[in-house]
Amino acid sequence: QVQLVESGGRLVQAGGSLRLSCAASGRPFSWYAMAWFRQAAGKEREFVAAINYSGGSTYYADSVKGRFTISRDNAKNTVYLQMNSLKAEDTAVYYCAADKGVTTTQRYRYWGQGTQVTVSS
């Protein structure tokens, strides 16, 4: 089992920046690819970004490319999502996920509880 705990979500003004963190425990962190998804009110959960086990490969949704950066620190068992130039449409609950293989689909075995990001315009 892998436990994931997100943090860092808060209210921020449009154009601002925010960094989300996801701390993992339970299994060796470096075994797992990690990803961020988000779900806005009344919408389906969508892919945001993913990173492979080593951090050598990253993937982004078109809507966040150039604004968001995913990274990981395997020594700290943590994955990050740096979000810049935030827009109102980035408002959502952000979830981190983990699985052995990296994918941009939702086929991740382990999920966190989510952290709310609200961008005011």
Side-chain angles (χ1 to χ4, degrees):
Q1 288 283 1
V2 175
Q3 292 78 43
L4 303 172
V5 179
E6 303 95 334
S7 62
R10 61 175 176 87
L11 174 65
V12 63
Q13 287 191 335
S17 297
L18 202 57
R19 188 177 81 158
L20 304 183
S21 300
C22 173
S25 62
R27 292 280 179 90
F29 182 66
S30 60
W31 288 4
Y32 295 90
M34 302 295 296
W36 288 95
F37 290 80
R38 67 186 181 187
Q39 186 168 20
K43 296 187 177 182
E44 294 189 354
R45 188 165 56 189
E46 64 176 3
F47 169 76
V48 174
I51 189 166
N52 74 337
Y53 71 98
S54 68
S57 297
T58 56
Y59 309 84
Y60 296 95
D62 288 343
S63 59
V64 306
K65 204 169 292 184
R67 299 189 299 123
F68 290 11
T69 302
I70 188 171
S71 62
R72 65 189 297 157
D73 185 336
N74 285 351
K76 294 183 178 180
N77 294 347
T78 301
V79 63
Y80 305 99
L81 185 68
Q82 178 66 43
M83 305 186 293
N84 298 330
S85 302
L86 283 161
K87 306 175 182 179
E89 50 263 44
D90 294 319
T91 295
V93 177
Y94 283 71
Y95 299 91
C96 73
D99 208 322
K100 290 290 185 67
V102 67
T103 176
T104 60
T105 71
Q106 300 202 29
R107 290 189 293 108
Y108 283 82
R109 182 172 183 181
Y110 302 106
W111 293 83
Q113 293 299 305
T115 186
Q116 176 71 48
V117 173
T118 303
V119 183
S120 64
S121 56

